[in-house]
Amino acid sequence: MTLHIFGSLNMDLVCQTPRLPVPGETILGTEFTTVPGGKGANQAVAAARLGAAVRMVGRVGNDAFGQALIQSLQVEGIETGDVQIEAGVSSGVAAIAVDTSGRNHIIVIPGANGRVARSDVERLSARLAPDDTLLLQFEVPLPEVMAAAATAQQQGVTVIVDPAPVRNDLPEAFYGLVDWLTPNQVEAEQLVGFPVADQKSAAAAAKVLRQRGARAIVIKLGAEGVWVEAADAAFPVPAFEVPVVDTVAAGDAFNGGLAVALSEGVSLLEAARFATATAALSVSQAGAQPSLPTRQAVEALLAAHIG
Ligand code: RIB
């Protein structure tokens, strides 16, 4: 049973700042770091640290960032033979500002991620087996994301899509390819076209997204927890209370945790709690991949909150 990630690898260029600037403003920050990230690679690392066998398909540039991004996956035991090194383009980068409350602004320059092509889908397709899981995001081209979802569906693979960065050009056919769609609050609002501010509005949004064809929905509401909506269950899961240092990659941590738990066959409630605990631990550490917790840490947090 393998978790496949078809998606992005970015080097995160992170500026710590007392507060986020407003448009037109220059402010002095406090620290600069380069940290391996990218929604695809983060979800791969999250799943690997939780104990899954993980393969990554994607592209990096022929530059120092590309080498570092591949190495950051390899040290986690992730299979990277299908991460292509692309000549003539930079690796993906993300310019990130993080304030002292852990809030962030992120601008992604796709670089080599934008060169992901049908040949990558074919490589992925050849590796899939019926009990596997595929995790997708929107930092590589949409036609390839949809082709990857379609081949996975044909092969009986569970498809989990993190619709980030959110897009307003999704064809109706997209939703029918998705087993689990996991927008955050902002993404859910943009997908459904009405405000999503709490569990009640998240439940309404989840119903709309299921009516479009996605089989199950998790709406991630940050400190408010998540709303889970599937064919035979609909329920909220509260967030764990943790000190917030940096929310970058919290959604990726959640998706890695959800994929691992679902692939292990636990109940929906247990899977959602496992994913919520994974995300909680990630926000209490700085950086994308450095913040992703181990299985032991997630199980300890869950155990501390039982009974
Ligand atoms: O989800 C967090 C990620 O978004 C960062 O690591 C950054 O690379 C962007 O892709």
PDB file of all heavy atoms in Angstrom, residues 138 142-143 146 165-172 174-175 190-191:
ATOM      1  N   PHE A 138      -2.994  21.933  -6.251  1.00  0.00           N
ATOM      2  CA  PHE A 138      -3.107  22.725  -7.488  1.00  0.00           C
ATOM      3  C   PHE A 138      -1.869  23.581  -7.767  1.00  0.00           C
ATOM      4  O   PHE A 138      -1.984  24.657  -8.336  1.00  0.00           O
ATOM      5  CB  PHE A 138      -4.332  23.634  -7.414  1.00  0.00           C
ATOM      6  CG  PHE A 138      -5.653  22.917  -7.536  1.00  0.00           C
ATOM      7  CD1 PHE A 138      -6.828  23.556  -7.165  1.00  0.00           C
ATOM      8  CD2 PHE A 138      -5.744  21.629  -8.041  1.00  0.00           C
ATOM      9  CE1 PHE A 138      -8.057  22.924  -7.278  1.00  0.00           C
ATOM     10  CE2 PHE A 138      -6.966  20.977  -8.155  1.00  0.00           C
ATOM     11  CZ  PHE A 138      -8.127  21.635  -7.770  1.00  0.00           C
ATOM     12  N   LEU A 142      -3.423  22.139 -14.017  1.00  0.00           N
ATOM     13  CA  LEU A 142      -4.717  21.487 -13.771  1.00  0.00           C
ATOM     14  C   LEU A 142      -4.996  20.316 -14.722  1.00  0.00           C
ATOM     15  O   LEU A 142      -5.491  19.276 -14.271  1.00  0.00           O
ATOM     16  CB  LEU A 142      -5.850  22.518 -13.832  1.00  0.00           C
ATOM     17  CG  LEU A 142      -7.231  21.971 -13.521  1.00  0.00           C
ATOM     18  CD1 LEU A 142      -7.312  21.410 -12.103  1.00  0.00           C
ATOM     19  CD2 LEU A 142      -8.297  23.046 -13.734  1.00  0.00           C
ATOM     20  N   PRO A 143      -4.698  20.419 -16.039  1.00  0.00           N
ATOM     21  CA  PRO A 143      -4.999  19.261 -16.901  1.00  0.00           C
ATOM     22  C   PRO A 143      -4.259  17.998 -16.440  1.00  0.00           C
ATOM     23  O   PRO A 143      -4.816  16.892 -16.507  1.00  0.00           O
ATOM     24  CB  PRO A 143      -4.504  19.712 -18.285  1.00  0.00           C
ATOM     25  CG  PRO A 143      -4.545  21.210 -18.219  1.00  0.00           C
ATOM     26  CD  PRO A 143      -4.211  21.589 -16.811  1.00  0.00           C
ATOM     27  N   MET A 146      -5.949  16.647 -13.275  1.00  0.00           N
ATOM     28  CA  MET A 146      -7.174  15.906 -13.608  1.00  0.00           C
ATOM     29  C   MET A 146      -6.849  14.562 -14.262  1.00  0.00           C
ATOM     30  O   MET A 146      -7.508  13.547 -13.982  1.00  0.00           O
ATOM     31  CB  MET A 146      -8.076  16.753 -14.501  1.00  0.00           C
ATOM     32  CG  MET A 146      -8.691  17.905 -13.715  1.00  0.00           C
ATOM     33  SD  MET A 146      -9.947  18.815 -14.599  1.00  0.00           S
ATOM     34  CE  MET A 146     -11.183  17.575 -14.941  1.00  0.00           C
ATOM     35  N   PRO A 165      -3.258  26.220  -4.465  1.00  0.00           N
ATOM     36  CA  PRO A 165      -4.047  27.447  -4.394  1.00  0.00           C
ATOM     37  C   PRO A 165      -5.382  27.253  -5.119  1.00  0.00           C
ATOM     38  O   PRO A 165      -5.430  26.612  -6.172  1.00  0.00           O
ATOM     39  CB  PRO A 165      -3.191  28.471  -5.142  1.00  0.00           C
ATOM     40  CG  PRO A 165      -1.844  27.838  -5.325  1.00  0.00           C
ATOM     41  CD  PRO A 165      -2.043  26.370  -5.269  1.00  0.00           C
ATOM     42  N   VAL A 166      -6.447  27.851  -4.544  1.00  0.00           N
ATOM     43  CA  VAL A 166      -7.772  27.617  -5.091  1.00  0.00           C
ATOM     44  C   VAL A 166      -7.901  28.206  -6.495  1.00  0.00           C
ATOM     45  O   VAL A 166      -7.232  29.182  -6.828  1.00  0.00           O
ATOM     46  CB  VAL A 166      -8.841  28.195  -4.135  1.00  0.00           C
ATOM     47  CG1 VAL A 166      -8.852  29.702  -4.125  1.00  0.00           C
ATOM     48  CG2 VAL A 166     -10.219  27.617  -4.432  1.00  0.00           C
ATOM     49  N   ARG A 167      -8.737  27.587  -7.329  1.00  0.00           N
ATOM     50  CA  ARG A 167      -8.936  28.044  -8.711  1.00  0.00           C
ATOM     51  C   ARG A 167     -10.427  28.271  -8.932  1.00  0.00           C
ATOM     52  O   ARG A 167     -11.253  27.579  -8.350  1.00  0.00           O
ATOM     53  CB  ARG A 167      -8.472  26.967  -9.703  1.00  0.00           C
ATOM     54  CG  ARG A 167      -7.105  26.434  -9.445  1.00  0.00           C
ATOM     55  CD  ARG A 167      -6.753  25.398 -10.485  1.00  0.00           C
ATOM     56  NE  ARG A 167      -6.860  25.914 -11.821  1.00  0.00           N
ATOM     57  CZ  ARG A 167      -5.847  26.050 -12.684  1.00  0.00           C
ATOM     58  NH1 ARG A 167      -4.637  25.683 -12.336  1.00  0.00           N
ATOM     59  NH2 ARG A 167      -6.042  26.520 -13.885  1.00  0.00           N
ATOM     60  N   ASN A 168     -10.726  29.225  -9.822  1.00  0.00           N
ATOM     61  CA  ASN A 168     -12.138  29.473 -10.125  1.00  0.00           C
ATOM     62  C   ASN A 168     -12.521  28.930 -11.498  1.00  0.00           C
ATOM     63  O   ASN A 168     -13.556  29.278 -12.039  1.00  0.00           O
ATOM     64  CB  ASN A 168     -12.475  30.971 -10.024  1.00  0.00           C
ATOM     65  CG  ASN A 168     -11.631  31.787 -10.967  1.00  0.00           C
ATOM     66  OD1 ASN A 168     -10.960  31.231 -11.839  1.00  0.00           O
ATOM     67  ND2 ASN A 168     -11.648  33.099 -10.798  1.00  0.00           N
ATOM     68  N   ASP A 169     -11.658  28.058 -12.056  1.00  0.00           N
ATOM     69  CA  ASP A 169     -11.929  27.543 -13.400  1.00  0.00           C
ATOM     70  C   ASP A 169     -12.054  26.021 -13.399  1.00  0.00           C
ATOM     71  O   ASP A 169     -11.766  25.372 -14.400  1.00  0.00           O
ATOM     72  CB  ASP A 169     -10.801  27.963 -14.355  1.00  0.00           C
ATOM     73  CG  ASP A 169      -9.438  27.442 -13.908  1.00  0.00           C
ATOM     74  OD1 ASP A 169      -9.339  26.927 -12.773  1.00  0.00           O
ATOM     75  OD2 ASP A 169      -8.474  27.546 -14.701  1.00  0.00           O
ATOM     76  N   LEU A 170     -12.501  25.454 -12.271  1.00  0.00           N
ATOM     77  CA  LEU A 170     -12.594  23.997 -12.221  1.00  0.00           C
ATOM     78  C   LEU A 170     -13.785  23.518 -13.043  1.00  0.00           C
ATOM     79  O   LEU A 170     -14.921  23.949 -12.800  1.00  0.00           O
ATOM     80  CB  LEU A 170     -12.773  23.528 -10.776  1.00  0.00           C
ATOM     81  CG  LEU A 170     -11.571  23.738  -9.862  1.00  0.00           C
ATOM     82  CD1 LEU A 170     -11.914  23.321  -8.437  1.00  0.00           C
ATOM     83  CD2 LEU A 170     -10.375  22.956 -10.379  1.00  0.00           C
ATOM     84  N   PRO A 171     -13.576  22.595 -13.995  1.00  0.00           N
ATOM     85  CA  PRO A 171     -14.725  22.070 -14.732  1.00  0.00           C
ATOM     86  C   PRO A 171     -15.563  21.161 -13.826  1.00  0.00           C
ATOM     87  O   PRO A 171     -15.040  20.588 -12.865  1.00  0.00           O
ATOM     88  CB  PRO A 171     -14.074  21.262 -15.860  1.00  0.00           C
ATOM     89  CG  PRO A 171     -12.687  21.005 -15.425  1.00  0.00           C
ATOM     90  CD  PRO A 171     -12.292  22.053 -14.428  1.00  0.00           C
ATOM     91  N   GLU A 172     -16.851  21.024 -14.127  1.00  0.00           N
ATOM     92  CA  GLU A 172     -17.730  20.156 -13.330  1.00  0.00           C
ATOM     93  C   GLU A 172     -17.152  18.742 -13.240  1.00  0.00           C
ATOM     94  O   GLU A 172     -17.261  18.075 -12.210  1.00  0.00           O
ATOM     95  CB  GLU A 172     -19.135  20.096 -13.953  1.00  0.00           C
ATOM     96  CG  GLU A 172     -20.012  21.309 -13.642  1.00  0.00           C
ATOM     97  CD  GLU A 172     -20.337  21.461 -12.160  1.00  0.00           C
ATOM     98  OE1 GLU A 172     -20.616  20.456 -11.485  1.00  0.00           O
ATOM     99  OE2 GLU A 172     -20.305  22.619 -11.693  1.00  0.00           O
ATOM    100  N   PHE A 174     -14.310  17.762 -12.832  1.00  0.00           N
ATOM    101  CA  PHE A 174     -13.259  17.609 -11.816  1.00  0.00           C
ATOM    102  C   PHE A 174     -13.805  16.911 -10.575  1.00  0.00           C
ATOM    103  O   PHE A 174     -13.196  15.979 -10.041  1.00  0.00           O
ATOM    104  CB  PHE A 174     -12.686  18.982 -11.453  1.00  0.00           C
ATOM    105  CG  PHE A 174     -11.957  18.997 -10.146  1.00  0.00           C
ATOM    106  CD1 PHE A 174     -10.669  18.485 -10.048  1.00  0.00           C
ATOM    107  CD2 PHE A 174     -12.560  19.491  -8.998  1.00  0.00           C
ATOM    108  CE1 PHE A 174     -10.003  18.464  -8.838  1.00  0.00           C
ATOM    109  CE2 PHE A 174     -11.901  19.478  -7.781  1.00  0.00           C
ATOM    110  CZ  PHE A 174     -10.614  18.966  -7.703  1.00  0.00           C
ATOM    111  N   TYR A 175     -14.975  17.367 -10.107  1.00  0.00           N
ATOM    112  CA  TYR A 175     -15.476  16.891  -8.813  1.00  0.00           C
ATOM    113  C   TYR A 175     -15.731  15.379  -8.807  1.00  0.00           C
ATOM    114  O   TYR A 175     -15.532  14.707  -7.808  1.00  0.00           O
ATOM    115  CB  TYR A 175     -16.740  17.664  -8.421  1.00  0.00           C
ATOM    116  CG  TYR A 175     -16.449  19.113  -8.089  1.00  0.00           C
ATOM    117  CD1 TYR A 175     -16.557  20.110  -9.065  1.00  0.00           C
ATOM    118  CD2 TYR A 175     -16.031  19.476  -6.829  1.00  0.00           C
ATOM    119  CE1 TYR A 175     -16.271  21.435  -8.763  1.00  0.00           C
ATOM    120  CE2 TYR A 175     -15.743  20.791  -6.520  1.00  0.00           C
ATOM    121  CZ  TYR A 175     -15.858  21.769  -7.491  1.00  0.00           C
ATOM    122  OH  TYR A 175     -15.565  23.062  -7.193  1.00  0.00           O
ATOM    123  N   GLN A 190     -14.418  30.311  -1.838  1.00  0.00           N
ATOM    124  CA  GLN A 190     -14.254  30.630  -3.255  1.00  0.00           C
ATOM    125  C   GLN A 190     -14.861  29.554  -4.142  1.00  0.00           C
ATOM    126  O   GLN A 190     -15.367  29.843  -5.222  1.00  0.00           O
ATOM    127  CB  GLN A 190     -12.774  30.845  -3.566  1.00  0.00           C
ATOM    128  CG  GLN A 190     -12.268  32.103  -2.880  1.00  0.00           C
ATOM    129  CD  GLN A 190     -10.925  32.542  -3.408  1.00  0.00           C
ATOM    130  OE1 GLN A 190     -10.634  32.404  -4.586  1.00  0.00           O
ATOM    131  NE2 GLN A 190     -10.107  33.073  -2.528  1.00  0.00           N
ATOM    132  N   LEU A 191     -14.838  28.314  -3.684  1.00  0.00           N
ATOM    133  CA  LEU A 191     -15.424  27.241  -4.499  1.00  0.00           C
ATOM    134  C   LEU A 191     -16.946  27.325  -4.529  1.00  0.00           C
ATOM    135  O   LEU A 191     -17.561  27.089  -5.561  1.00  0.00           O
ATOM    136  CB  LEU A 191     -14.987  25.863  -3.967  1.00  0.00           C
ATOM    137  CG  LEU A 191     -13.501  25.516  -4.166  1.00  0.00           C
ATOM    138  CD1 LEU A 191     -13.169  24.202  -3.478  1.00  0.00           C
ATOM    139  CD2 LEU A 191     -13.136  25.439  -5.650  1.00  0.00           C
TER     140      LEU A 191
END
